[in-house]
Every structure is written in C-alpha cells, then in structure tokens.
Amino acid sequence: MPDDHPFSSIPTSILVPIDFSPSSQAALDAASDLAEHFQASLVMVNVVPCLSFFALTYAIPDDALRQKMGAHAERLLAKCQLALKARGINSSFSGEFGNDVAGAIIDIAEREHVDMVVISTHGISVGILSSLAQSPRRS
C-alpha cells in the first residue's frame, strides 16, 4: 500500500510573505519549522503597496513614503533573518513594491523557483501551497 504524503516532493525552498502582523508571524513560524524539518531554504518577502493618497500628496511625496516604508520592512526582515540564522535555517528576503500583492507573491515564487508557499489567512489559519507547477495564475 503506498504511503500517503501531504507533499508530492520534499521542498528545498519555501516562500513566506510577511506583513509583520501576528498572523504573518504565525506563518513565518510554520514556514521556519518546515524549513528546519526539510532542511530547506526560506525566502521571506514583504510587498509594500504603492500608496497614492490625495491627502498625503502634499505632505509627503510618494517616493519618500515608499522609501521609508521599504527601509522599515528591510530592517524587520533582517531581524527575522538573524533569528532564522540562529536556528540554522538558510534564508533570504526581498522587499517589493506594488499594489497587486497577490500577483507580486506569485511573481516572486516563480522568480525564486520555490517549491512551497506558506501564507497567513487573515489571522484565522496558515495555508500551505505545495507543487507550484500547478500554482494559481493571475487572470
């Protein structure tokens, strides 16, 4: 009788999108445990929206706001990377800009050739997508 496994193959690279909320921290914890178990590398990504608020246009230029948000995200991702290194988990991170957050995550998953995506679901649970050869595509 064949063994039933939740994954079709052992992941070597796992992507986890992070917005620094408690639910994304739970996803990072789950992804870290998986990376440790499978000896996989972990790719963390934060997508900073390209906000264009009319009220902020006159107070803070969009570029300055994006740079500040991007720099803050990179500092937080670097802290996460240090904690992962202490656990012996190889990791990298990327800060991206764009309003199509889901599309950016798919693009990054394809660019980085990840085998698995671990993503938070609005604080309710953590979702795991495996076998990205059959990943959802944008319409």
Side-chain angles (χ1 to χ4, degrees), residues 3-138:
D3 293 334
D4 288 331
H5 295 285
F7 307 115
S8 59
S9 65
I10 295 174
T12 58
S13 182
I14 301 169
L15 181 126
V16 59
I18 302 174
D19 65 3
F20 310 108
S21 66
S23 61
S24 75
Q25 181 60 50
L28 177 58
D29 292 343
S32 300
D33 291 344
L34 288 166
E36 191 170 44
H37 177 77
F38 291 116
Q39 296 180 334
S41 62
L42 194 59
V43 179
M44 299 173 289
V45 65
N46 176 262
V47 181
V48 176
C50 295
L51 303 174
S52 181
F53 295 114
F54 179 78
L56 290 178
T57 301
Y58 299 102
I60 303 172
D62 286 346
D63 289 341
L65 180 61
R66 278 194 292 271
Q67 284 180 339
K68 187 174 181 176
M69 291 172 70
H72 179 69
E74 285 201 18
R75 283 191 302 274
L76 294 174
L77 288 166
K79 285 183 183 180
C80 292
Q81 188 175 37
L82 285 174
L84 292 167
K85 185 176 181 178
R87 288 181 60 181
I89 299 170
N90 183 30
S91 67
S92 61
F93 64 84
S94 177
E96 304 284 332
F97 294 95
N99 286 327
D100 180 8
V101 175
I105 292 167
I106 291 170
D107 290 345
I108 295 161
E110 290 173 346
R111 182 181 72 218
E112 298 292 330
H113 305 289
V114 299
D115 305 306
M116 180 183 289
V117 177
V118 177
I119 191 165
S120 65
T121 57
H122 300 291
I124 300 168
S125 63
V126 173
I128 299 174
L129 305 174
S130 183
S131 183
L132 289 177
Q134 299 174 355
S135 67
R137 303 281 182 211
R138 283 179 276 168

